[in-house]
Amino acid sequence: MVGLPILWMALLTSCAGWSGLGANGPVPPNIVVILADDLGYGDLGCYGHPTIRTPHLDRMAREGARFTEFYSAAEVCTPSRAALLTGRYPIRSGMCHNQFRVLRNNSTGGLPHGEVTLAETLKQHGYSTACIGKWHLGVFSIHPDHHPSRHGFDHFFGLPHSNDMDPRPGNPAGAPGKLEQDPAWWNSPLYRNQQVIERPADQTTLTRRYAEESVAFIRANQGKPFFLYLPHTFPHIPLFASGDFRGKSPRGLYGDVVEELDHSVGKILNSIRELGLDQNTLVVFSSDNGPWTAHNLAGGSAGLLRGGKGSTWEGGMRVPGIFWGPGIVRGNQVIAEPASLMDLFTTCTLLGGGQIPRDREIDGLDLRPVLKGEGASPRKEMLYYRGQQLFAARVGDFKAHFLTQAGYGEPKAVAHDPPLLFNLKVDPSETTNVAMAHPDMVAKIREAVDRHRSGLKVVESQLIGQVAAPKTMP
């Protein structure tokens, strides 16, 4: 059991008498963003999975808002996380470039310092900030400037990248269909701030320890606004569950892992309720991209959607999106309108009283009205990048595919001219090409892509993921 750090215990004691009001009125809302890794659109009970039991997330969806058309901004880990924290398509920051520069455990690149993160916009307005979980936005053991603390986070506890990126010699990792892999095969380091506190990390304990660390952070900062970013390690492969959950799910080990993740969400929500912070806290749950379907039963499900991780079909980028906060989000909403992880940057910055940077293009939109049940989602367009290439685009209900590729390890991308066109409202599984019947929509989507490309400015220093020009804060 990991106890409260000594400093946090002192902070908690000093805040015990907090009344919920600051000297100048109500405290800005607390913000918690929980991000699963490779969780599919169809892997939760509230999104239709018949055997994975997720009572806490299901309750969170009932009491809050559940989006049925919620998108990551990329089909893989690193660019998706960069987009969430910056509110920008990763093509703008260079975080979709060569995988050996930004994705691997020996990558030289990372999130450019010229980028402004959500942690920084909130920290400017008095927020305490923590990143607990998987970072994967730069290997800070190689380049310390890529550490979360250089991007607005006061505290870090977790892994520097994916849990399969530190194999031991002779490790036969990555075999499709392998449900579990021996803990002895892995050498992932667990960090507290800049220090390695455990190597190899005991991956069977990570979900529980992330929850304990999160609850400790919430308790220690209950007297001031806080931003907790909790990017989980799982259900990314290799899969590990603790003894309390292993062998308990009808879905097998993958189900065990997701059900333990759901339990950890419950612990965080319960702590927020017990501290009386529920009326002034927004909690968001989502996934960084679709399920790793190439791994068969070790990967998840995209439900009725086509494709998975590594593709720009809906299953690769449409993910769960649940928003909870009794004082912020109108309950019992199912929102069948598009929204994106990028929108968290704008929505949460404005909720926290911050300003959106004016010196760059911000792709995130303000979801506050739709969360309150007072308006439609402002997102009318969505771009689907795979690396630096724009594969598809959505305008309104229609999505055009200019390039398609099933996922990692699949044959080379196939170009389509005219593009494939699908009406996602009636055909979310993308089975019926309607391009011949709707040439007007094809033209409209081409126009939207041309507008996007005409305003796209990509600096080479960003493309290689190195430190860019100093950031300008509003």
Side-chain angles (χ1 to χ4, degrees), residues 47-239:
Y47 281 88
H49 200 286
T51 55
I52 297 179
R53 298 161 298 196
T54 53
H56 300 288
L57 285 163
D58 297 350
R59 177 184 173 185
M60 182 178 168
R62 286 194 308 272
E63 295 179 351
R66 176 173 66 88
F67 283 84
T68 61
E69 300 176 29
F70 197 75
Y71 291 96
S72 88
E75 85 298 352
V76 69
C77 303
T78 290
S80 172
R81 291 154 200 272
L84 186 162
L85 288 177
T86 65
R88 286 154 55 83
Y89 283 108
I91 188 68
R92 299 191 193 279
S93 63
M95 293 302 284
C96 60
H97 193 46
N98 186 313
Q99 62 179 330
F100 298 105
R101 289 174 172 162
V102 297
L103 286 173
R104 302 302 181 189
N105 66 345
N106 59 352
S107 298
T108 57
L111 185 64
H113 278 247
E115 292 297 314
V116 176
T117 70
L118 176 57
E120 289 169 323
T121 63
L122 294 175
K123 192 172 173 62
Q124 267 204 326
H125 289 267
Y127 278 72
S128 294
T129 59
C131 173
I132 297 173
K134 167 185 161 180
W135 178 237
H136 212 178
L137 288 172
V139 184
F140 47 79
S141 61
I142 299 175
H143 294 289
D145 278 346
H146 296 323
H147 193 275
S149 63
R150 307 296 177 91
H151 293 284
F153 289 101
D154 299 324
H155 178 73
F156 173 65
F157 177 84
L159 304 188
H161 38 247
S162 296
N163 62 332
D164 64 341
M165 290 188 173
D166 289 290
R168 290 188 172 182
N171 175 355
K178 188 77 174 174
L179 278 177
E180 83 175 298
Q181 294 160 341
D182 192 326
W185 292 351
W186 306 98
N187 195 35
S188 298
L190 178 64
Y191 281 80
R192 182 182 296 283
N193 297 318
Q194 282 85 5
Q195 300 299 316
V196 175
I197 62 171
E198 185 176 294
R199 186 161 196 169
D202 182 353
Q203 296 198 41
T204 66
T205 69
L206 285 181
T207 299
R208 172 177 59 78
R209 292 164 79 179
Y210 290 167
E212 291 170 352
E213 193 82 5
S214 296
V215 170
F217 173 77
I218 291 169
R219 289 186 176 277
N221 290 279
Q222 60 181 294
K224 60 185 296 190
F226 59 79
F227 169 47
L228 169 61
Y229 171 50
L230 172 51
H232 273 282
T233 293
F234 300 116
H236 192 285
I237 294 168
L239 301 173

Side-chain angles (χ1 to χ4, degrees), residues 41 44 47 60-61 65-71 284-287 318-324 333 335 341:
Y41 181 83
L44 306 179
Y47 281 88
M60 182 178 168
R66 176 173 66 88
F67 283 84
T68 61
E69 300 176 29
F70 197 75
Y71 291 96
V284 182
F285 179 88
S286 190
S287 179
R318 192 190 293 202
V319 291
I322 304 173
F323 290 69
W324 177 91
Q333 289 193 82
I335 302 172
L341 282 173

Side-chain angles (χ1 to χ4, degrees), residues 73-75 89 91 96 310-314 317 382-394 399-408 410-422 430 445-446 449 452-453:
E75 85 298 352
Y89 283 108
I91 188 68
C96 60
S311 81
T312 52
W313 296 105
E314 287 294 285
M317 293 177 60
M382 190 70 205
L383 304 176
Y384 301 70
Y385 275 94
R386 191 177 192 275
Q388 294 184 76
Q389 289 186 290
L390 193 148
F391 270 51
R394 172 177 178 170
K399 176 182 175 183
H401 288 265
F402 305 99
L403 294 163
T404 56
Q405 190 167 358
Y408 296 124
E410 298 296 330
K412 187 178 179 180
V414 177
H416 303 281
D417 190 9
L420 306 179
L421 186 72
F422 300 95
E430 297 174 289
I445 293 173
R446 286 190 191 276
V449 170
H452 165 72
R453 285 177 168 157

Side-chain angles (χ1 to χ4, degrees), residues 411-436:
K412 187 178 179 180
V414 177
H416 303 281
D417 190 9
L420 306 179
L421 186 72
F422 300 95
N423 183 337
L424 296 178
K425 283 297 184 186
V426 299
D427 182 23
S429 303
E430 297 174 289
T431 62
T432 304
N433 178 17
V434 295
M436 296 299 291

